Amino acid sequence: MDNRDLLLSMQRALLGGVISPLRAVIVGKREQEISIKFVVERNLDGDESEILDMVVTEIASDYPLENIKEEIYVSDQKSNQFVGSNEILAFLRHEGDQS
């Protein structure tokens, strides 16, 4: 599977899984490792964390769970600063002008 397949897998997993503090989701694949970065505007409560866990579980239906690395970043900065090489935005919340 390439990055397009990963992107489609993540977008499918996010159906019903976009919580209000979610600013961006960034995914990438390097060799056999899948990276998922959730960028949120504040610390998550238990229910919100559980919803993101369910998103990761959905991805695990397409990729082995032991190959998935999940990170959650709490930030009030532009979310695109978290996109590394071999990574793509799967979700980006519209937040108006962030000059």
Side-chain angles (χ1 to χ4, degrees), residues 1-10 12 28-29 31-34 36 56-68:
M1 292 184 153
D2 62 11
N3 274 347
R4 286 180 300 187
D5 293 325
L6 176 58
L7 178 61
L8 290 172
S9 179
M10 175 53 77
R12 184 183 69 241
K29 183 172 189 244
E31 297 176 20
Q32 297 302 314
E33 183 178 271
I34 303 297
I36 302 171
V56 173
T57 300
E58 287 290 324
I59 295 294
S61 70
D62 295 326
Y63 299 91
L65 187 58
E66 62 270 8
N67 293 351
I68 298 174

Side-chain angles (χ1 to χ4, degrees), residues 31-84:
E31 297 176 20
Q32 297 302 314
E33 183 178 271
I34 303 297
S35 68
I36 302 171
K37 296 177 183 175
F38 295 106
V39 182
V40 296
E41 65 187 10
R42 59 173 168 73
N43 289 322
L44 303 178
D45 65 29
D47 290 339
E48 293 165 335
S49 293
E50 188 174 320
I51 290 170
L52 292 187
D53 287 343
M54 290 189 313
V55 169
V56 173
T57 300
E58 287 290 324
I59 295 294
S61 70
D62 295 326
Y63 299 91
L65 187 58
E66 62 270 8
N67 293 351
I68 298 174
K69 177 184 169 192
E70 168 194 2
E71 298 173 287
I72 298 177
Y73 296 93
V74 177
S75 176
D76 60 358
Q77 302 298 312
K78 286 188 175 182
S79 300
N80 60 0
Q81 74 178 0
F82 294 96
V83 180

